[in-house]
Amino acid sequence: MQEIVRLINESGLSKSAIARRAGVSTSTVTRIVAGELDPTIGTATRLINALGYQFPSQMPRLCDTRAVHAARSLIMEEQAEGYWVETLDRWACTISDLVLTAGQAAPILQRPETVSIRTSWSPLRIFGAVSAAGTRYVASGWAAAVAYGVPDATQNPLVIYVDGGAAALGLALPHDPNGGREVCILPFDGVSEQGAQVSDGVSWADSYQVVLDLCADHRTEELGLRMLSRLEESRG
């Protein structure tokens, strides 16, 4: 961590500028510099890249969805192997470390084929339009957290996994640059859509997938950790 702090201090950039480049909150950078927070692997990677440096070549690429898949396997105690399984199992001291590291290693907006739009439509209207188009989907993000009983006031972004072209669906939904709703559309990847539950006609992502997706965006990290806490309490 001392090396990261040195690079930040010598960069000549403000903490807010570094945070924007890295896709983390300014408070995260401030706490790291003050020695109040040890960055996860994902956060450290993003900060170093934002400052114009790179980890050694054996480190995974900046956005690696395998980290999220590995985290799900470890949480569900499923048999799995690979770089991320070994890394998370070795270095994540708590389940909070696990989901934060995995989420930060695969930011929602940087995942392959992600389409982001703004609209004024409500989530239910969006889900209805997707269903009417005959497209299978799984909803995640803040709306899924609310559906699982975790209150939230941010209401952004709405995350939807779809079976088929995310780009095509993004074009089909109405765009409004001034709309208050951000929608991130991702294609099914064989893992994220697994374990979905249907409630009131809406297909919601598995609760731990929702947590991982929330922790893949600095704006919803806190909501993800609150949801994680509830899930772990109910697990006993």
Side-chain angles (χ1 to χ4, degrees):
M1 187 179 75
Q2 291 180 342
E3 182 65 12
I4 294 176
V5 172
R6 183 184 68 78
L7 292 174
I8 291 172
N9 289 334
E10 293 179 358
S11 69
L13 297 170
S14 67
K15 295 181 179 63
S16 59
I18 295 171
R20 282 195 302 273
R21 289 186 178 190
V24 301
S25 65
T26 303
S27 63
T28 295
V29 178
T30 300
R31 292 179 64 198
I32 290 172
V33 171
E36 299 172 355
L37 176 68
D38 287 328
T40 62
I41 296 171
T43 298
T45 302
R46 291 162 71 181
L47 286 170
I48 287 178
N49 277 269
L51 293 166
Y53 297 89
Q54 291 183 331
F55 270 133
S57 59
Q58 67 265 26
M59 293 295 289
R61 57 185 179 274
L62 183 58
C63 180
D64 196 338
T65 54
R66 293 175 299 177
V68 175
H69 301 167
R72 273 194 64 159
S73 297
L74 289 169
I75 291 170
M76 306 310 293
E77 300 180 350
E78 300 170 343
Q79 281 293 112
E81 57 184 22
Y83 170 86
W84 277 110
V85 171
E86 296 174 5
T87 299
L88 292 172
D89 191 39
R90 179 178 182 183
W91 296 107
C93 301
T94 66
I95 191 168
S96 296
D97 289 341
L98 178 71
V99 299
L100 285 173
T101 299
Q104 291 169 358
I108 285 286
L109 291 173
Q110 295 180 30
R111 294 183 190 177
E113 299 181 56
T114 296
V115 175
S116 177
I117 68 167
R118 296 200 76 86
T119 182
S120 58
W121 279 17
S122 69
L124 288 180
R125 192 175 183 186
I126 293 171
F127 300 149
V130 175
S131 296
T135 302
R136 292 195 304 136
Y137 74 92
V138 171
S140 185
W142 73 269
V146 173
Y148 280 111
V150 185
D152 173 56
T154 63
Q155 300 194 357
N156 271 311
L158 175 64
V159 177
I160 306 177
Y161 292 93
V162 296
D163 185 11
L169 179 60
L171 290 172
L173 292 174
H175 292 226
D176 179 357
N178 299 315
R181 180 88 55 227
E182 180 181 0
V183 184
C184 295
I185 308 167
L186 304 90
F188 280 4
D189 57 24
V191 176
S192 301
E193 68 272 18
Q194 292 181 4
Q197 302 179 33
V198 177
S199 175
D200 296 327
V202 178
S203 180
W204 300 108
D206 172 82
S207 55
Y208 281 101
Q209 180 65 44
V210 175
V211 168
L212 288 162
D213 289 338
L214 291 169
C215 289
D217 190 315
H218 68 88
R219 295 169 295 180
T220 51
E221 273 185 7
E222 189 271 337
L223 176 61
L225 292 176
R226 280 197 286 119
M227 182 171 177
L228 176 65
S229 178
R230 288 199 180 194
L231 290 172
E232 290 302 290
E233 287 176 4
S234 63
R235 255 179 133 182

